[in-house]
Amino acid sequence: MLRIDRASYDAIVAHARRDHPDEACGVVAGPDGSDRPERFIPMLNAARSPTFYEFDSADLLRLYREMDDRDEVPVVVYHSHTATEAYPSRTDISYASEPFAHYVLVSTREHGDQTGLVGDDVEFRSFRIVDGEVTEEDVDVVESYLFGHSPTTVVYD
């Protein structure tokens, strides 16, 4: 299960909407060994494409050096799908290289960059991808890691 704080969840959704119609991408880093996403890091989609995302290699190298200096790991690797459901594509699966990361996908296909719509529920899903095998997991959104669990849970069957 991915347990993520409300601020990080909202930041990922806002980034996906802001970059629509192109796919958004980024990382939420956390302390090594914690499985707790804490530091939201939006990245530039170097491909600038509505159907594909790619981290800029220089930006990615800087990010990994910075995470290493801070004893962090990529707890969440996220990107958006602008015209399809929030499910990993064959390309997404082939590029998944972090076996301990949660791969989050957000679909902006319904509302694009609009916000504040009545019933504007976003499709926000998390997966583990290891050796090409995709396993969906529940997402537990908490208001704060300091105050524990909130009743907001996103589950897709």
Side-chain angles (χ1 to χ4, degrees):
M1 173 185 289
L2 169 62
R3 189 171 195 210
I4 189 167
D5 67 298
R6 170 65 59 192
S8 295
Y9 175 95
D10 289 346
I12 291 169
V13 171
H15 184 204
R17 287 180 165 149
R18 187 173 53 250
D19 281 12
H20 186 89
D22 289 340
E23 289 192 2
C25 57
V27 170
V28 186
D32 191 8
S34 72
D35 198 39
R36 189 167 64 194
E38 294 183 350
R39 189 166 65 95
F40 174 73
I41 308 157
M43 304 285 285
L44 174 67
N45 179 354
R48 297 187 182 186
S49 167
T51 59
F52 180 75
Y53 83 97
E54 181 178 27
F55 291 118
D56 177 83
S57 58
D59 288 347
L60 196 58
L61 179 60
R62 273 192 296 278
L63 172 62
Y64 271 82
R65 285 181 176 160
E66 182 180 297
M67 286 190 302
D68 190 49
D69 290 345
R70 297 170 62 122
D71 293 322
E72 292 176 327
V73 294
V75 177
V76 169
V77 178
Y78 73 88
H79 76 280
S80 61
H81 283 181
T82 62
T84 60
E85 70 174 318
Y87 190 85
S89 68
R90 286 187 300 245
T91 303
D92 297 337
I93 295 165
S94 70
Y95 284 168
S97 61
E98 293 290 342
F100 301 108
H102 302 269
Y103 286 89
V104 166
L105 281 98
V106 175
S107 177
T108 57
R109 68 183 169 166
E110 295 297 322
H111 301 301
D113 62 358
Q114 298 176 20
T115 59
L117 299 174
V118 174
D120 188 11
D121 295 326
V122 68
E123 190 179 2
F124 185 107
R125 298 167 72 181
S126 183
F127 305 87
R128 295 292 188 146
I129 305 174
V130 179
D131 296 328
E133 184 176 325
V134 178
T135 306
E136 186 164 10
E137 60 185 353
D138 291 343
V139 177
D140 184 21
V141 181
V142 297
E143 293 308 315
S144 167
Y145 295 126
L146 299 176
F147 300 107
H149 177 69
S150 77
T152 306
T153 301
V154 180
V155 179
Y156 294 96
D157 290 334

